[in-house]
């Protein structure tokens, strides 16, 4: 069965949630015109947001992080988005020298050795490129939902990041079924890994399929304690990730 066949059943409040998400996007597009970006992971939630942004011509930029370790199925969505919606996806990659330095010193499987090394890898491949995506912008949009994990259970619709930029989460109250109902109803392109029981998709070495009854994000960093399961994109940082950029070009 496909993810659509398994999950596309709207909640009783779907219509209201849909309308609210559109209102959040429309308001943000007007408030931060030319200074806002959707930071898409190319997962199901973000594909819903991209479809809304393009379908209603909100004029919000779309950017993604090409970490150098993504599944081929994930990367294949970038040209599909551009062809389907007639928009350009901004692509931000890690500094090549920083990746080479990290792998040379710690190996390609360093993320399995310790949480510290895994987070350093995330800092190089995700956090630093994200900082470039957000440079000069006043607001950004994510696909965070409260249902995704206990750490996200109180995600607000509007928040601030560490740089006091506005961070918007229009789908905060959506259910997983709502997401797939929207995808089915609007024929939204999506990652075929979702059909193979990958609800949350990140870098290939750090993502696996989940089994029946496992938590939504059980397939992410499955070898770690539950409390550590964030890459840092949506976690307040005490210090910038500069330590992970040794050998990087400015």
């Amino acid at each position: 069965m496909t993810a659509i066949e398994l999950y596309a059943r709207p909640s009783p409040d779907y219509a209201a949630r849909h309308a609210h998400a559109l209102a959040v996007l429309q308001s943000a597009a007007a408030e931060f015109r030319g200074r806002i970006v959707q930071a898409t992971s190319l997962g199901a939630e973000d594909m819903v947001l991209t479809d809304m942004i393009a379908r209603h011509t909100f004029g919000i930029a779309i950017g993604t992080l090409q970490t150098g370790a993504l599944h081929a199925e994930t990367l294949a969505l970038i040209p599909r988005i551009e062809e389907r919606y007639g928009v350009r996806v901004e692509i931000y990659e890690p500094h090549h020298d920083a990746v080479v330095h990290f792998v040379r010193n710690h190996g390609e499987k360093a993320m399995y050795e310790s949480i510290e090394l895994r987070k350093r890898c995330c800092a190089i491949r995700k956090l630093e490129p994200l900082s470039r995506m957000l440079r000069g912008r006043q607001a950004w949009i994510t696909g965070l939902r409260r249902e995704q994990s206990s750490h996200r259970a109180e995600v607000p619709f509007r928040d601030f990041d560490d740089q006091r930029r506005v961070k918007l989460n229009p789908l905060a109250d959506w259910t997983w079924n709502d997401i797939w109902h929207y995808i089915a109803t609007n024929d939204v392109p999506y990652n075929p890994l979702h059909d193979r029981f990958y609800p949350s998709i990140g870098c290939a070495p750090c993502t696996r399929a989940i089994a029946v009854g496992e938590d939504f994000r059980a397939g992410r960093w499955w070898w770690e304690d539950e409390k550590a399961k964030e890459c840092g994109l949506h976690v307040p940082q005490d210090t910038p990730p500069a330590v992970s950029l040794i050998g990087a070009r400015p």
Side-chain angles (χ1 to χ4, degrees):
M1 295 180 70
T2 66
I4 286 176
E5 292 170 323
L6 284 171
Y7 306 119
R9 297 180 297 278
S11 62
D13 297 329
Y14 171 78
R17 290 171 176 167
H18 183 192
H20 181 261
L22 287 176
V24 170
L25 290 171
Q26 183 175 26
S27 176
E31 182 179 357
F32 304 107
R33 187 167 302 280
R35 296 284 185 173
I36 184 171
V37 63
Q38 180 204 357
T40 175
S41 69
L42 305 170
E45 291 91 344
D46 283 310
M47 293 305 297
V48 167
L49 289 169
T50 294
D51 186 87
M52 288 181 174
I53 289 167
R55 186 178 297 273
H56 297 276
T57 59
F58 286 136
I60 295 171
I62 299 168
T64 195
L65 306 178
Q66 209 299 51
T67 68
L70 299 178
H71 298 84
E73 293 90 340
T74 302
L75 292 173
L77 279 170
I78 297 173
R80 289 185 67 190
I81 290 170
E82 294 182 329
E83 181 179 356
R84 169 72 176 272
Y85 300 113
V87 299
R88 181 178 72 89
V89 177
E90 299 176 10
I91 299 174
Y92 295 85
E93 300 179 348
H95 288 290
H96 176 73
D97 291 351
V99 173
V100 170
H101 179 87
F102 181 82
V103 173
R104 181 185 297 129
N105 283 277
H106 304 290
E108 294 185 355
K109 297 183 179 180
M111 67 285 295
Y112 303 126
E113 296 179 11
S114 71
I115 292 177
E116 178 187 3
L117 285 176
R118 195 272 291 170
K119 289 188 175 182
R120 287 180 63 187
C121 187
C122 289
I124 292 171
R125 296 180 184 273
K126 295 183 178 182
L127 301 189
E128 192 282 329
L130 178 69
S131 72
R132 281 185 272 123
M133 182 194 296
L134 299 181
R135 190 175 298 157
R137 283 169 164 144
Q138 298 175 332
W140 54 305
I141 296 165
T142 87
L144 291 182
R145 294 185 301 111
R146 296 166 189 161
E147 189 185 65
Q148 288 170 339
S149 72
S150 59
H151 301 291
R152 300 179 179 183
E154 297 182 3
V155 165
F157 292 109
R158 185 179 178 117
D159 201 0
F160 291 95
D161 66 16
D162 294 338
Q163 302 301 314
R164 302 305 295 170
R165 279 180 295 257
V166 172
K167 183 177 180 181
L168 298 159
N169 311 300
L171 306 180
D173 62 344
W174 283 42
T175 67
W176 189 229
N177 299 78
D178 289 336
I179 295 296
W180 286 99
H181 176 72
Y182 183 97
I183 288 172
T185 302
N186 295 281
D187 191 28
V188 178
Y190 67 88
N191 193 325
L193 290 175
H194 289 306
D195 291 336
R196 294 180 235 163
F197 302 100
Y198 284 73
S200 179
I201 304 170
C203 292
C206 300
T207 308
R208 66 163 173 80
I210 65 171
V212 175
E214 284 193 297
D215 290 339
F216 184 89
R217 285 171 63 82
R220 301 293 295 278
W221 309 295
W222 62 92
W223 63 93
E224 294 182 356
D225 181 88
E226 181 66 29
K227 295 180 180 178
K229 289 189 174 186
E230 290 284 357
C231 63
L233 293 180
H234 305 296
V235 177
Q237 303 294 308
D238 295 328
T239 56
V243 65
S244 299
L245 301 180
I246 297 171
R249 292 189 296 270

